[in-house]
Amino acid sequence: MKPIRTRSQERILNLLKSIKQGISAQNLYIELRNSNQSMGLATVYRSLEALKLEGLVQVRTLTNGEALYNLVQQDKHHLTCLQCGRSIPIEQCPVHQLETELETNQNFKIFYHTLEFFGLCDKCQAEAC
């Protein structure tokens, strides 16, 4: 049975479909307001949470604490510099097999996973020397 979504959830889904990178709830709120689809910031957060629990939206938290939302399309993996905040995407994923095993062995439906390594990028390492 397909869940019933609110108009706010549908508006957010449609906006996320047109945005190719992660976006904060604050910026989603601004984008909706700019396109005359205004809704309260609390509604944006509630809708994002409902869509996340439905397995349609994923969230990634940056080192500064900001949460970025995007549609669940593929797993996201990054190297993140703790000094400058630069985030470098990683193409390969070493945990797909583990995900499959966990779903089977633990009877757990996995919507998505993230993998993030924290350290210093080459530029910040060079500056430290």
Side-chain angles (χ1 to χ4, degrees), residues 10-20 71 73:
E10 290 294 340
R11 287 176 179 171
I12 288 172
L13 276 176
N14 289 332
L15 182 56
L16 288 174
K17 286 176 186 174
S18 69
I19 298 172
K20 299 302 177 200
L71 294 179
Q73 297 165 350

Side-chain angles (χ1 to χ4, degrees), residues 34-125:
N34 290 343
S35 63
N36 294 321
Q37 300 183 66
S38 189
M39 67 180 75
L41 184 57
T43 302
V44 171
Y45 278 105
R46 277 193 305 273
S47 297
L48 285 168
E49 184 64 21
L51 293 168
K52 184 177 76 171
L53 292 174
E54 195 179 329
L56 297 174
V57 171
Q58 66 187 47
V59 62
R60 176 173 172 245
T61 305
L62 302 179
T63 56
N64 65 2
E66 182 178 35
L68 298 180
Y69 298 86
N70 61 315
L71 294 179
V72 173
Q73 297 165 350
Q74 62 184 23
D75 301 321
K76 305 288 183 183
H77 307 92
H78 298 87
L79 300 172
T80 300
C81 181
L82 292 169
Q83 187 165 320
C84 70
R86 187 171 132 209
S87 190
I88 304 162
I90 303 170
E91 299 305 320
Q92 67 271 29
C93 176
V95 296
H96 281 296
Q97 181 62 35
L98 175 61
E99 183 178 295
T100 303
E101 290 172 18
L102 289 171
E103 278 195 323
T104 302
N105 297 339
Q106 302 296 321
N107 193 26
F108 188 85
K109 176 64 179 154
I110 297 172
F111 293 135
Y112 69 93
H113 70 266
T114 60
L115 178 63
E116 194 151 8
F117 296 94
F118 297 92
L120 294 177
C121 68
D122 54 351
K123 289 181 183 179
C124 291
Q125 288 178 64

